Amino acid sequence: MNASQPADITFLLEGTYPYVAGGVSSWVHQIIRGVPEFTFALVFLGSRRADYGERKYTLPDNVVHLEDHYLYDGNEQPQVRPLQGDKTLFQLVEKLHEQFKLEHAGADMNATVGPLANELGHGLKLDDFLYSRRAWNFIRQQFRTYSTDPSFVDYFWSVRTMHRPIWRLAAIRDRLPPTRVFHTVSTGYAGFLGALAKSRYQRPLILSEHGIYTKERKIDLMSAEWIADNRSAFQRDATQTSYLRDLWIRFFEALGRTCYEAADEITALYEVNRQRQIADGADPARTQNIPNGVDISRLSPLRALRPEETPPVLCLIGRVVPIKDVKTFIRAMRIVVNRLPCAEGWVAGPSEEDPGYAAECRDLVRLLGLEERVKFLGFQNVVDLLPRIGLNVLSSISEALPLVLLEGFAAGVPTVCTNVGSCRQLVEGLDEDDRALGHAGRVVGIADPQALADAATALLADRSAWQAAARAGIARVERYYTQSLMFERFRALYGRTMSGGGG
Amino acid sequence: MHRALIVLLGLAALLAEAVALALIADLTGTHIGVGGFFAAHAVASLILGFLVLEVLAERYRRPWQPIVALLAAIAFFVPVLGTIGLVTAVLVVTLLPKASVYRPFANLRPPEYPSAAREGPPQMRMLGLRTSLLDTSLPADVRVKSLVALQNMPPRVAIPILRRLLCDSTDDVRLAAYGIIDAREKRISAAIRDELDRLPTVTEPAARENCLRRLAEEHWELVHSDLAPGDLRRVTIESGLRYLEAALQRADRDTGLWLLKGRFLHAAGDPGGAAQALATAIALGLPESRVLPYLAEIYFDQCRFDDVRRCMNLVAATQRTPRMAPLIRYWAPRTDTA
């Protein structure tokens, strides 16, 4: 890989490929391999180097460049010196903040973001933000006007901490390899970098979201315990979040909106997420759905390998991390085993990402007396695994369009999954034609082990229902969710944006 | 030390320059003399370079190599005058009082501290929390914010509301509700795990009884807070009762344990056993007033309404807590108005 070799497409990746295994990473890997006529550069953004292990994927040959950046590692500290700050630029900063406060800033926002983005790190340096008199006055005035939290100290440091990575991103932007299209797989920091890069190099930007970054950040921040709330008992209204918490949420919303404004093409995996993107500020005309797809030719031969009798094995294929809610699966297994003593629960996925959570899951197995019935298999090849299981269980609390369900369908394994992301669409169908194919399993509420166990035992105990679900799954995946369909759509998207037809 | 180094370097530079001048004064046209001059002058220049570097302000000292090279070059290529100039500069810097000092921090106007925090726009103050949470017509943002308030409420009250929200049509609400339930469950499970790890290592009878009691109590907390739904409730009650019985074997006169047993049995659907356990607790000395509300609940489930009324009359006489007041008003109205 050449450090400065130009690439057709530069992927901007925050906390994902190639250092983290999972749905988004598999998707990136799949796309890169699926369109070998294009070359790719990868720009990875992480929090700290120590938070990530080795690469989880072997990079395909058409990846010509990879660079890693860690936003919270080795932050350079400019020397303290008194500065005035550029009057015109600070007026633009003020205007931009006013626009962020409005519900919909529209085209006017681009006029503010563009000049400011290009000045970041040049006319508007980190020193100006940290030490200039204008920055201090602006922060002071904003606190006075808007803050409902009485602590200026907490307000000041919150503002400093949250804005600092922006200059890091500007420095990354200045050294990006030459490219024809920027492609970010989330909003957030990567999306903001995409907006900066687009403004600087005048290259199109594609945004492909799996989950909705801003929403996920918001939920994290809502329950984060490190955010101060200095209101006294008399000032506190239990139904209102603290001002600083709101400030953090609005910061990520602003990053998201900047990216939506800048993106020429915005893709979602399914309709609900597309609507969410529009609600968060994306222009409907620039949005479209491109669902995931799987390699049918690799998975369909597995149907012939299945035993005559459906194995009483419920398998959760996924990483052992909180978002997969493995604990609900384990609790459901307690109920299933009470009814079908021969049933087994397999958890097929790596446990290294969150060792603490994995330990909690193993303890829960012990606590519920399931040591003999629930097994942690570690990472498994789905080709070996799928013929040996009876049900593909997904107990996640949040998903987008999980590949693992499609893989199960292609191999003839129905599912019991939670009602998250596009799961209902995958199991029950989207439009009338799709729904006519039948249900490829059952959908239950999140964190409801009872419902999960009821649905699983009902499917396992009723052979004809199981077979009907398997047939529906095969028909649905073959018609709507093939890998070739997905590649064609992305090939067309890249072609269109490169020839200047995006947006 | 620093000043001594400067003086030393200064003297060395002057000495080297003097040698160079002496050599050039004695110049007879020999090549050795010119070479000697240039050598001595170069040494003097280099020393001067280091000397000036020493007195430079901190922020101008890096990178030191090109700075020294530049200063030495000035001294070398401007003979005598360059040396005099640099030495004068050093003298001025070291001997005269500092005219300007590096001041990284300027005085700024402090922020105006509000004497009272700004009031945020009032939201839902007039609405009940439960109403606003379950009303799907309200914006998701408002509902997620009110969810945060549930974190401060007793689990017994909050968890059933949160469970209903797990099926909410809004993703954010569902996830926030899940996060709160999960955090509560995690805390209790961690406590159970700690006690289970401790149990095999504890041999001292009182400590062992204490460990078993905590295990029973934490299991009860899971049941009471509705953190073990469906069939899991039964499994949790069974486990909790096992630890409780083990604790009772070691402390069969502990009234708190008997009270807990009564509550476990009631939750397990054994009102007869529960009433008996509560009666034992009273017989062993637990004040009747603490048991009466539980007893009333058991009688209610058995449809023994006269007994409920009798219990509530006694409760009315002893505990008029705000939470009990509506119950007393219903079951013992005469006592309530008395």
Side-chain angles (χ1 to χ4, degrees):
Chain A
M1 270 174 287
N2 189 319
S4 59
Q5 195 170 333
D8 293 320
I9 297 143
T10 295
F11 259 126
L12 307 173
L13 306 154
E14 184 178 334
T16 171
Y17 189 81
Y19 295 101
V20 177
V24 179
S25 298
S26 306
W27 178 89
V28 173
H29 194 64
Q30 199 183 3
I31 291 283
I32 294 174
R33 294 202 314 172
V35 288
E37 66 270 37
F38 295 116
T39 54
F40 287 85
L42 309 179
V43 178
F44 174 85
L45 301 179
S47 46
R48 280 175 293 261
R49 180 73 192 93
D51 298 338
Y52 304 91
E54 292 305 307
R55 273 187 222 164
K56 299 287 189 296
Y57 296 84
T58 309
L59 299 183
D61 291 340
N62 53 335
V63 173
V64 294
H65 175 89
L66 166 68
E67 59 185 63
D68 310 335
H69 300 280
Y70 299 94
L71 298 180
Y72 294 102
D73 265 350
N75 265 331
E76 76 290 356
Q77 185 69 32
Q79 195 181 24
V80 181
R81 61 197 175 109
L83 291 163
Q84 274 304 321
D86 185 286
K87 190 178 173 188
T88 325
L89 288 176
F90 271 92
Q91 277 171 348
L92 272 177
V93 168
E94 202 171 331
K95 189 173 167 199
L96 184 64
H97 280 84
E98 288 309 317
Q99 285 172 335
F100 280 142
K101 288 193 181 79
L102 300 173
E103 279 292 304
H104 294 286
D108 209 25
M109 203 163 103
N110 273 336
T112 323
V113 173
L116 257 186
N118 292 339
E119 287 296 341
L120 267 181
H122 302 284
L124 192 63
K125 288 196 170 77
L126 180 60
D127 311 34
D128 293 302
F129 168 61
L130 294 178
Y131 308 129
S132 80
R133 190 177 289 268
R134 285 191 206 283
W136 167 260
N137 286 342
F138 182 61
I139 294 173
R140 206 167 50 101
Q141 174 247 326
Q142 292 286 304
F143 170 73
R144 179 73 182 157
T145 318
Y146 299 109
S147 179
T148 53
D149 190 292
S151 166
F152 176 76
V153 174
D154 279 339
Y155 176 83
F156 178 77
W157 287 107
S158 298
V159 170
R160 277 209 164 186
T161 314
M162 73 175 65
H163 285 80
R164 206 180 159 124
I166 285 176
W167 278 269
R168 204 66 192 277
L169 293 172
I172 297 169
R173 180 255 336 249
D174 290 343
R175 292 191 297 269
L176 284 175
T179 194
R180 296 169 71 189
V181 175
F182 292 105
H183 191 168
T184 174
V185 294
S186 64
T187 58
Y189 292 117
F192 189 75
L193 175 60
L196 292 183
K198 183 193 169 175
S199 176
R200 167 77 182 266
Y201 301 108
Q202 296 299 313
R203 297 284 182 218
L205 172 67
I206 300 173
L207 164 66
S208 291
E209 278 196 288
H210 283 231
I212 298 289
Y213 182 101
T214 313
K215 178 188 82 184
E216 285 158 13
R217 275 281 174 172
K218 193 166 158 182
I219 288 158
D220 283 349
L221 289 167
M222 275 293 177
S223 50
E225 286 173 6
W226 52 268
I227 301 175
D229 181 358
N230 302 297
R231 292 173 296 173
S232 69
F234 296 108
Q235 293 160 339
R236 196 170 298 198
D237 174 353
T239 58
Q240 270 190 296
T241 42
S242 77
Y243 185 77
L244 298 179
R245 200 180 291 279
D246 262 352
L247 198 67
W248 274 101
I249 291 171
R250 286 207 311 276
F251 174 74
F252 283 104
E253 282 174 349
L255 290 189
R257 271 172 69 184
T258 312
C259 181
Y260 285 135
E261 291 278 344
D264 299 87
E265 297 273 359
I266 300 169
T267 76
L269 290 178
Y270 60 105
E271 184 57 19
V272 174
N273 268 10
R274 193 180 76 90
Q275 291 302 332
R276 176 74 190 230
Q277 289 173 328
I278 294 168
D280 286 351
D283 173 6
R286 282 183 261 163
T287 60
Q288 63 172 312
N289 292 321
I290 303 186
N292 283 341
V294 290
D295 186 357
I296 303 288
S297 61
R298 186 174 70 108
L299 297 162
S300 58
L302 303 181
R303 296 170 207 160
L305 302 178
R306 297 192 60 77
E308 190 57 34
E309 282 296 310
T310 304
V313 176
L314 291 82
C315 186
L316 185 152
I317 305 171
R319 295 164 296 139
V320 185
V321 290
I323 204 161
K324 301 286 174 194
D325 198 7
V326 181
K327 287 184 187 172
T328 287
F329 173 66
I330 296 168
R331 291 190 188 106
M333 279 312 299
R334 178 66 267 171
I335 303 167
V336 172
V337 170
N338 285 354
R339 296 173 191 173
L340 296 172
C342 62
E344 282 190 30
W346 296 355
V347 180
S351 313
E352 297 83 32
E353 194 177 324
D354 191 339
Y357 183 74
E360 284 173 26
C361 290
R362 286 174 206 277
D363 284 338
L364 185 62
V365 168
R366 181 166 61 116
L367 216 63
L368 295 175
L370 288 167
E371 292 95 330
E372 300 296 316
R373 312 310 311 171
V374 173
K375 294 173 185 162
F376 291 87
L377 306 178
F379 178 79
Q380 296 285 314
N381 186 343
V382 286
V383 174
D384 302 328
L385 191 69
L386 288 171
R388 296 188 286 141
I389 67 173
L391 276 180
N392 190 1
V393 177
L394 191 92
S395 51
S396 303
I397 52 163
S398 180
E399 285 283 351
L401 195 147
L403 276 175
V404 70
L405 286 198
L406 300 177
E407 288 171 336
F409 290 169
V413 186
T415 185
V416 174
C417 62
T418 42
N419 183 18
V420 291
S422 62
C423 287
R424 192 175 285 284
Q425 167 186 328
L426 295 182
V427 174
E428 297 176 1
L430 182 62
D431 54 29
E432 207 173 315
D433 285 350
D434 193 359
R435 277 199 294 274
L437 298 174
H439 288 195
R442 302 283 179 272
V443 182
V444 298
I446 63 166
D448 191 347
Q450 186 71 42
L452 189 63
D454 289 347
T457 42
L459 258 185
L460 280 177
D462 184 345
R463 181 142 181 80
S464 63
W466 189 94
Q467 282 172 333
R471 276 196 304 273
I474 292 168
R476 181 159 295 125
V477 75
E478 286 186 349
R479 187 181 297 181
Y480 297 106
Y481 302 101
T482 64
Q483 186 174 262
S484 48
L485 213 56
M486 176 172 86
F487 291 155
E488 275 319 306
R489 288 169 175 165
F490 270 100
R491 198 169 275 127
L493 183 67
Y494 286 142
R496 198 164 63 243
T497 44
M498 281 177 194
S499 62
Chain B
M1 179 66 197
H2 185 245
R3 191 170 273 262
L5 179 69
I6 292 170
V7 172
L8 206 66
L9 282 172
L11 288 175
L14 288 174
L15 187 67
E17 194 65 2
V19 170
L21 287 174
L23 281 171
I24 207 150
D26 288 343
L27 189 64
T28 55
T30 62
H31 292 295
I32 295 163
V34 174
F37 165 75
F38 279 119
H41 180 58
V43 170
S45 303
L46 198 63
I47 296 171
L48 267 173
F50 280 107
L51 175 62
V52 178
L53 182 79
E54 274 305 304
V55 299
L56 277 180
E58 185 64 39
R59 60 186 182 281
Y60 300 126
R61 281 194 207 174
R62 301 240 183 308
W64 65 272
Q65 296 95 329
I67 294 169
V68 169
L70 175 72
L71 293 167
I74 294 171
F76 188 83
F77 292 111
V78 190
V80 186
L81 277 181
T83 307
I84 292 169
L86 289 178
V87 169
T88 312
V90 170
L91 288 174
V92 167
V93 168
T94 49
L95 299 179
L96 292 182
K98 287 179 180 175
S100 66
V101 179
Y102 169 53
R103 292 180 197 279
F105 301 104
N107 281 329
L108 294 166
R109 277 182 60 204
E112 298 84 1
Y113 293 106
S115 54
R118 273 178 46 81
E119 285 281 315
Q123 283 180 357
M124 304 171 308
R125 286 170 192 228
M126 309 310 285
L127 277 175
L129 195 58
R130 190 192 301 252
T131 318
S132 62
L133 276 168
L134 299 176
D135 181 357
T136 47
S137 66
L138 284 171
D141 263 8
V142 174
R143 298 174 65 222
V144 172
K145 281 179 182 175
S146 25
L147 253 177
V148 178
L150 274 185
Q151 281 173 319
N152 306 318
M153 290 172 71
R156 172 84 173 152
V157 181
I159 302 288
I161 304 175
L162 290 166
R163 277 211 184 284
R164 285 180 66 180
L165 293 172
L166 288 177
C167 301
D168 199 271
S169 55
T170 314
D171 226 13
D172 306 26
V173 173
R174 274 206 309 261
L175 288 178
Y178 173 83
I180 300 171
I181 295 179
D182 188 53
R184 290 243 160 97
E185 188 274 328
K186 218 176 196 169
R187 232 175 1 239
I188 300 174
S189 295
I192 292 178
R193 269 199 309 278
D194 288 350
E195 293 301 330
L196 278 178
D197 289 344
R198 218 162 62 89
L199 192 60
T201 63
V202 176
T203 47
E204 203 262 313
R208 193 165 173 82
E209 181 230 309
N210 205 14
C211 193
L212 288 164
R213 173 201 297 270
R214 278 207 209 125
L215 276 168
E217 284 171 350
E218 297 295 353
H219 276 79
W220 174 249
E221 191 57 35
L222 283 176
V223 174
H224 184 65
S225 310
D226 195 25
L227 284 165
D231 288 10
L232 287 173
R233 185 179 163 87
R234 188 174 52 77
V235 175
T236 314
I237 291 173
E238 280 169 9
S239 300
L241 267 174
R242 226 175 18 249
Y243 295 118
L244 184 76
E245 292 294 358
L248 271 173
Q249 275 180 9
R250 288 166 174 77
D252 62 351
R253 299 189 66 76
D254 187 310
T255 53
L257 287 176
W258 281 105
L259 176 63
L260 189 57
K261 183 174 177 177
R263 299 184 75 185
F264 259 123
L265 289 174
H266 185 209
D270 177 7
Q276 208 173 348
L278 294 181
T280 310
I282 295 171
L284 288 171
L286 190 71
E288 202 178 14
S289 59
R290 282 198 55 195
V291 181
L292 283 169
Y294 301 118
L295 215 46
E297 205 180 340
I298 293 168
Y299 291 146
F300 179 80
D301 285 350
Q302 291 176 315
C303 299
R304 290 163 60 181
F305 301 121
D306 285 341
D307 288 328
V308 176
R309 200 160 290 122
R310 184 177 55 76
C311 281
M312 292 311 286
N313 272 314
L314 289 169
V315 170
T318 51
Q319 326 175 18
R320 286 180 166 275
T321 59
R323 284 183 66 185
M324 292 300 285
L327 291 168
I328 293 170
R329 209 173 297 137
Y330 181 82
W331 288 101
R334 275 170 301 173
T335 326
D336 185 53
T337 50

